Amino acid sequence: MRRFFSIAALTVGALAIGGNAALADTVTLGGTVNSTSSVTSVATADASDLSLYGVGAAQNDVVVQVADMALITNNTAGVTLQAAGDSGLTNGTSTLAYKVKIVADNAAAPGAGDFSSATDSVSVTDFSSGAAARDLYIEYDAPSLLDPGNYSSTITISVTDI
């Protein structure tokens, strides 16, 4: 009986030791990465020297590249790039409407029929090392008569994560 008791005691002791060794705890890890998407635009020389005609000669379907845009992001899904023109080229008295179009960097100029409104939006997913580039064009119909003065307008360019 003594032998049986000793073996039983060893077995119970081994279970107790093994049971404690099997206990575990966890450490939860976490972190946050904020978005760093941004866009920088540089106006072309033509942007501030538009031919508005308006002195007896008209020209329809005038297409001009007005900006080079550089984008950066850490979002692997990409970004949405938007260009929104204000109420048109104005001298305070007269207004000349225009449309905008975003195209790939160094792509051929879009045709006048490719423009649809004063706002354009594209998804940009072709980033290389977090950087991409696009070009911005406008299209307008210059009338034969236009009030004299300096005309100006603003296009707002924004970028949001996809």
Side-chain angles (χ1 to χ4, degrees):
M1 171 92 148
R2 188 170 211 186
R3 228 184 241 192
F4 174 73
F5 180 71
S6 296
I7 293 173
L10 286 174
T11 305
V12 171
L15 287 176
I17 292 170
N20 285 338
L23 291 179
D25 199 3
T26 59
V27 175
T28 303
L29 302 175
T32 302
V33 176
N34 295 322
S35 173
T36 59
S37 300
S38 67
V39 60
T40 303
S41 61
V42 177
T44 63
D46 291 338
S48 60
D49 193 24
L50 297 171
S51 179
L52 302 180
Y53 299 84
V55 288
Q59 180 66 45
N60 289 332
D61 303 331
V62 179
V63 174
V64 179
Q65 181 182 356
V66 294
D68 290 308
M69 298 176 288
L71 298 94
I72 62 165
T73 191
N74 64 341
N75 184 341
T76 57
V79 298
T80 298
L81 177 64
Q82 183 179 38
D86 63 11
S87 59
L89 286 156
T90 184
N91 68 350
T93 305
S94 297
T95 301
L96 179 61
Y98 62 88
K99 299 173 186 171
V100 300
K101 184 75 176 166
I102 300 168
V103 300
D105 188 40
N106 295 320
D114 295 329
F115 293 80
S116 60
S117 73
T119 302
D120 191 26
S121 172
V122 297
S123 294
V124 181
T125 59
D126 62 338
F127 286 87
S128 175
S129 298
R134 294 293 184 270
D135 293 334
L136 179 63
Y137 283 82
I138 65 168
E139 184 275 332
Y140 58 94
D141 295 332
S144 59
L145 296 175
L146 194 59
D147 288 338
N150 293 320
Y151 286 74
S152 64
S153 182
T154 301
I155 299 172
T156 302
I157 300 167
S158 59
V159 62
T160 55
D161 289 339
I162 289 181

